[in-house]
Amino acid sequence: MTIHHILGFPRIGARRELKAALEAYWQGRLDEEGLRRTGSELRRRHWRLQQEKGLDFVTVGDFSLYDHVLDTSLMLGVVPPRFAGMGGGLECYFAMARGNVKAGEQVHACEMTKWFDTNYHYIVPEFRAGQTFSLGEAGLFGEISEAQAQGYVAKPVLLGPLSYLWLGKTKGGNFDRLTLLESLLPVYGGILARCKALGVEWMQIDEPVLALDLPQAWRNAFESTYNRLQGGGLKILLTTYFGGLGDNLRLACQLPVEGLHIDAIRAPEQLRDVLNWLPAYKVLSVGIIDGRNVWRCNPAQALDALREARERLGKRLWIAPSCSLLHVPVDLEQETGLDEELASWLSFAVQKLDELVLLRRALDEPDDPAVNEALAAAARAHAARLASPRTRNPGVRKRVREVGEGRQARQSSHEKRREAQQAWLELPLFPTTTIGSFPQTAQIRRVRRDFRQGVVDEEGYIAAMHDEIARCIATQVSLGLDVLVHGEPERSDMVEYFGELLEGCAITQLGWVQSYGSRCVKPPIIFGDIYRRAAMTVAWIGFAQSLTEKPVKGMLTGPVTILNWSFVRDDQPREETCRQIALALREEVQDLEAAGIRIIQIDEAALREGLPLRRADWPDYLEWAVHAFRIASCGVDDSTQIHTHMCYSEFNDIMPAIIAMDADVITIETSRSDMELLEAFEDHTYHNDIGPGVYDIHSPNIPEVEHMVDLIRRAQAHIPAERLWVNPDCGLKTRRWPEVIRALERMVAAAERLRADYRAA
Ligand code: GLN
Ligand code: ZN
């Protein structure tokens, strides 16, 4: 029988039980025992599911109370000194994840960053010179026993030593993380020995960095590492995912371990090469169900690939989803709001287990009529999606072709546009603005929920939102900000909001995917051609503008960001879908302009994170991403000012693309990096306006006027004063009103100080 297994299951729970428990625990409504009980109930449920479906193992160690990389840090004894004395246990664990107060002092959390090219964030391990490792708190062993006590065959999963080091950062001086490997490996050795002693036969070790461009020294380290880890008598399945092995393929095939897992969804072409290079003693686990997307698999295609592998490998062929199922929602069965046809095209984590089982049976029991019937049904569903008129709109396709093939440029150079804009805007030097959202209060969330549940009617909802917008405008006017925003009260999420309004896009009720800790997102599902039914933002922004003489910025989420934060149809290239979104946004931009909104911001918060994992694939991505932005933004008059916002601080790599976007103003995150990153803008001779964020909105601290003045002065070392804006790093939705008011008062004061100094000079 073909062995079938998964690399990991979503941990948050079908009803976000983990979220509820975590938040109750943090608020003191639930004790530690209660929190841990929720954890073990979720594990029990997920293991039982794997068992019931007939998988050959249950995967253990994929569960985490916050993040599996953080768990790995604790297991390896990597706790930064500032958390010392916090005791062990959950206090220290959550302090590392979220920050804490120790003896009246704020202890800041560890950094968080994106897990490869997903929207999941992990807690970045911090390494110091002379870092030591020791077996620390490890829930893993207990969980293995827990699974065994429930009668399951446990296959534990562990983040591999090289990926772990790669994903961390050095602190207090820069040194080569690879030098830590020597002292790290004995701890890994100890962990494996302990697992072996618990009766584990197969251990899954994740080394996803094998799908990246690795320096030679790191590649070399793989062989010696796995030589050292071998020999404990435990069998290692080395797993890679999120991309092809590329130049690491031979290396990965030849490592001294018992099995290799490859992603045959993202990189189907690598299967044949792997079959050629894999030594005859090794197991190959083929990731053949898409762990990153929600479409039902096409069994014919999957089986074609698997049959060849089966012929070559016989019993050494295993099958699995391409990666952990962490990145898809839990259970489609819960979605009562999706129409039947659309639902028949989809597969969430639970359904993916069924698909896996079906493929297994198709391989092992090809003559079973029930299997063939199920295969035929899956093939029909797949074919129905491809052929459905709901996925294609000839009018949209025609318009995209017309607009999409044009070069897409503004009418004049930025210099000329700047004059035309300044003629009506008459902005002072160092104009002040914010990034879009204002606090999303409990009141706002309540009204939104009541509206959704029909407790409040549309009229009542609009009135409540108008009150919020009016409050937001009045506050900004009294603060003396120069360019105002409406505050985004009507948006629970910057992508979901547009997902709900665009045709070709579906929103689930419970399709939550963990983003970090207790935070989940509900990515829209883009199943068909995208277009606007009607204007999406004009009424809200128009209302805001009617309340003030000052300019109000129209606020849109950019095409690349909507794409990167959605589940995207897989029956056409992503860039094609992106162009369709861009066209819908272009129409919105033009409607805003026609309604008298003459400053329009198009957020591209996810443009950078969408960069492919391999550098060789960057130019192609950047080209279509920039082009999509230009489709959205270039259909306006010279005197209409286009802003974009990007909340990150690494631009060096992508500067030519940023320049090519040609936004009149770009606001970016800079407050924590002391404006150093502006060097990139100088070196690449960026001529448009920039608003380098002067304070960190993630922190509740109220910034000092002096500090903000100082930051802008530093910025002036790179960018002429005439082109600088003054704004926070990002939107203010997570802050509270009193904080926001005090921070913005000071930000405006800082701008005034800068102006006075400039005049005096
Ligand atoms: N306009 C959005 C806001 O202010 C931008 C958010 C973001 O960049 N992530 O909330
Ligand atoms: Zn931002």
Side-chain angles (χ1 to χ4, degrees):
M1 243 180 57
T2 309
I3 298 228
H4 51 333
H5 69 123
I6 59 172
L7 272 48
F9 197 80
R11 52 180 81 118
I12 200 75
R15 302 242 154 210
R16 288 184 296 163
E17 293 86 341
L18 180 59
K19 176 191 178 68
L22 279 170
E23 288 171 1
Y25 174 78
W26 292 331
Q27 290 161 11
R29 291 185 281 112
L30 183 71
D31 61 10
E32 175 167 346
E33 204 195 310
L35 177 62
R36 295 211 183 267
R37 198 176 325 114
T38 302
S40 58
E41 275 162 18
L42 286 167
R43 288 193 293 273
R44 174 185 289 271
R45 195 192 300 164
H46 301 156
W47 290 334
R48 195 190 309 130
L49 196 65
Q50 292 168 57
Q51 161 91 359
E52 279 170 2
K53 303 284 182 192
L55 303 198
D56 291 275
F57 311 104
V58 300
T59 301
V60 177
D62 54 347
F63 182 80
S64 171
L65 284 177
Y66 201 94
D67 163 45
H68 57 276
V69 182
L70 177 60
D71 294 355
T72 311
S73 288
L74 278 140
M75 170 152 45
L76 301 170
V78 181
V79 178
R82 64 182 182 283
F83 301 100
M86 223 159 236
L90 289 186
E91 189 191 352
C92 178
Y93 181 78
F94 287 127
M96 283 172 71
R98 316 169 67 226
N100 202 349
V101 178
K102 186 173 82 178
E105 289 263 326
Q106 179 70 30
V107 182
H108 65 92
C110 296
E111 212 177 298
M112 188 164 77
T113 196
K114 300 254 168 178
W115 174 248
F116 298 85
D117 60 352
T118 73
N119 200 13
Y120 176 83
H121 302 67
Y122 70 92
I123 302 289
V124 181
E126 291 180 20
F127 304 128
R128 291 176 165 65
Q131 179 75 48
T132 56
F133 301 91
S134 57
L135 185 58
E137 250 168 82
L140 182 66
F141 308 122
E143 288 171 20
I144 294 171
S145 307
E146 193 182 29
Q148 291 169 335
Q150 289 164 33
Y152 303 130
V153 179
K155 178 200 59 179
V157 43
L158 194 60
L159 181 57
L162 287 153
S163 293
Y164 177 71
L165 286 179
W166 180 267
L167 294 170
K169 270 196 177 172
T170 58
K171 293 276 154 160
N174 201 13
F175 60 93
D176 182 3
R177 306 194 290 301
L178 199 53
T179 58
L180 301 175
L181 185 62
E182 220 16 66
S183 48
L184 177 60
L185 286 183
V187 185
Y188 267 89
I191 294 170
L192 297 190
R194 192 93 180 249
C195 291
K196 166 90 177 115
L198 286 168
V200 167
E201 183 191 2
W202 278 96
M203 184 91 190
Q204 173 185 330
I205 300 194
D206 287 1
E207 289 286 14
V209 297
L210 281 167
L212 306 180
D213 297 317
L214 288 178
Q216 190 57 42
W218 286 76
R219 293 161 43 116
N220 294 344
F222 265 92
E223 180 150 358
S224 56
T225 295
Y226 284 90
N227 258 320
R228 295 263 301 270
L229 291 183
Q230 175 207 42
L234 202 67
K235 294 182 188 154
I236 294 176
L237 177 72
L238 188 96
T239 56
T240 66
Y241 40 83
F242 299 154
L245 291 164
D247 55 346
N248 300 322
L249 187 136
R250 282 176 62 181
L251 169 71
C253 288
Q254 293 175 348
L255 287 174
V257 292
E258 288 69 19
L260 174 69
H261 170 91
I262 59 166
D263 186 334
I265 295 293
R266 279 275 175 96
E269 69 289 347
Q270 66 177 342
L271 179 56
R272 188 152 300 156
D273 287 337
V274 169
L275 289 174
N276 288 334
W277 283 104
L278 200 77
Y281 66 87
K282 250 190 218 183
V283 157
L284 181 66
S285 163
V286 177
I288 196 73
I289 302 275
D290 194 346
R292 292 286 299 273
N293 216 332
V294 293
W295 308 110
R296 233 169 124 173
C297 105
N298 173 5
Q301 204 183 338
L303 286 169
D304 265 354
L306 291 177
R307 284 204 185 99
E308 187 187 341
R310 165 68 162 239
E311 255 167 50
R312 306 267 299 261
L313 297 169
K315 277 210 276 261
R316 291 185 293 124
L317 171 69
W318 292 15
I319 59 172
S322 57
C323 58
S324 167
L325 299 173
L326 180 63
H327 311 290
V328 291
V330 180
D331 191 0
L332 184 65
E333 283 296 306
Q334 303 187 106
E335 296 298 329
T336 50
L338 296 176
D339 65 87
E340 227 173 279
E341 183 184 29
L342 181 55
S344 75
W345 300 343
L346 301 175
S347 164
F348 293 176
V350 173
Q351 289 68 40
K352 285 177 191 284
L353 299 185
D354 290 326
E355 295 188 282
L356 188 66
V357 170
L358 179 59
L359 291 181
R360 202 280 299 157
R361 296 189 58 196
L363 287 173
D364 295 341
E365 304 149 34
D367 302 325
D368 185 327
V371 170
N372 285 309
E373 206 170 294
L375 285 176
R380 271 196 307 275
H382 187 261
R385 169 161 73 95
L386 298 193
S388 167
R390 285 174 74 186
T391 65
R392 299 178 81 82
N393 180 316
V396 171
R397 292 187 172 243
K398 179 160 175 290
R399 268 179 293 145
V400 168
R401 229 175 299 122
E402 285 160 6
V403 174
E405 276 165 15
R407 192 173 77 80
Q408 290 311 324
R410 297 289 295 270
Q411 290 157 10
S412 314
S413 68
H414 177 245
E415 243 5 76
K416 273 243 181 85
R417 291 177 345 235
R418 185 168 219 289
E419 263 168 50
Q421 290 159 19
Q422 197 49 14
W424 70 271
L425 268 168
E426 296 176 342
L427 288 171
L429 211 52
F430 303 110
T432 51
T433 192
T434 60
I435 305 304
S437 57
F438 269 73
Q440 290 255 331
T441 58
Q443 160 71 8
I444 294 178
R445 283 196 294 267
R446 191 174 326 120
V447 175
R448 216 188 282 125
R449 191 187 54 226
D450 287 350
F451 178 47
R452 232 185 7 248
Q453 294 173 351
V455 180
V456 165
D457 64 5
E458 184 164 2
E459 207 177 314
Y461 172 73
I462 292 175
M465 291 300 123
H466 279 179
D467 285 350
E468 288 294 336
I469 291 171
R471 167 188 186 186
C472 192
I473 294 289
T475 309
Q476 294 172 84
V477 168
S478 72
L479 284 165
L481 287 157
D482 299 306
V483 171
L484 314 190
V485 296
H486 79 296
E488 306 179 22
E490 79 287 11
R491 306 182 190 177
S492 58
D493 175 272
M494 67 191 280
V495 168
E496 190 180 358
Y497 177 77
F498 292 95
E500 268 170 350
L501 295 171
L502 288 166
E503 286 294 335
C505 202
I507 300 288
T508 59
Q509 286 171 316
L510 292 162
W512 299 101
V513 177
Q514 188 179 24
S515 171
Y516 62 91
S518 66
R519 289 282 200 107
C520 300
V521 293
K522 217 161 35 129
I525 297 176
I526 299 178
F527 62 85
D529 289 348
I530 293 287
Y531 58 96
R532 284 189 327 163
R533 237 162 303 172
M536 304 182 283
T537 63
V538 177
W540 299 120
I541 313 283
F543 173 75
Q545 184 66 81
S546 74
L547 303 173
T548 175
E549 296 283 297
K550 292 216 170 159
V552 175
K553 273 194 277 195
M555 196 55 65
L556 302 171
T557 303
V560 187
T561 299
I562 293 183
L563 185 86
N564 285 343
W565 285 349
S566 298
F567 289 118
V568 180
R569 62 192 293 185
D570 60 357
D571 59 342
Q572 65 180 24
R574 285 170 73 84
E575 63 211 75
E576 184 61 32
T577 305
C578 195
R579 270 195 291 276
Q580 295 179 352
I581 306 170
L583 180 65
L585 291 168
R586 177 192 185 88
E587 291 165 0
E588 186 72 16
V589 166
Q590 290 171 331
D591 280 356
L592 283 166
E593 183 184 49
I597 306 300
R598 308 288 301 285
I599 304 186
I600 300 162
Q601 179 173 312
I602 306 173
D603 290 328
E604 283 293 18
L607 188 135
R608 192 181 194 294
E609 71 182 43
L611 278 173
L613 294 175
R614 296 276 192 172
R615 254 189 199 257
D617 301 325
W618 285 19
D620 185 47
Y621 165 79
L622 287 171
E623 190 185 316
W624 62 252
V626 168
H627 190 240
F629 183 85
R630 291 173 66 127
I631 291 175
S633 62
C634 285
V636 290
D637 208 64
D638 279 351
S639 61
T640 296
Q641 189 171 70
I642 298 289
H643 289 222
T644 189
H645 164 69
M646 300 186 174
C647 31
Y648 29 84
S649 52
E650 287 154 45
F651 288 93
N652 273 302
D653 295 337
I654 56 166
M655 216 42 224
I658 302 290
I659 294 172
M661 287 169 73
D662 200 21
D664 295 302
V665 184
I666 179 170
T667 56
I668 56 179
E669 176 181 312
T670 37
S671 71
R672 282 182 290 188
S673 60
D674 273 353
M675 302 288 154
E676 273 162 26
L677 76 102
L678 291 177
E679 280 167 24
F681 286 80
E682 184 181 43
D683 293 346
H684 290 84
T685 56
Y686 190 77
H687 295 301
N688 301 9
D689 287 16
I690 305 183
V694 292
Y695 81 87
D696 177 13
I697 57 89
H698 301 98
S699 154
N701 299 343
I702 310 296
E704 299 291 341
V705 176
E706 264 315 310
H707 184 64
M708 291 185 277
V709 168
D710 183 53
L711 284 177
I712 292 290
R713 290 227 177 92
R714 283 171 197 240
Q716 279 175 259
H718 308 286
I719 314 282
E722 294 73 18
R723 296 202 278 115
L724 282 169
W725 288 60
V726 176
N727 48 261
D729 265 350
C730 193
L732 303 167
K733 71 192 261 187
T734 56
R735 300 263 62 92
R736 292 178 311 123
W737 271 105
E739 292 163 2
V740 164
I741 289 175
R742 282 169 58 213
L744 292 178
E745 264 167 10
R746 293 195 189 165
M747 190 186 85
V748 171
E752 276 159 6
R753 176 96 56 85
L754 288 160
R755 287 170 201 150
D757 291 355
Y758 186 87
R759 280 193 300 269

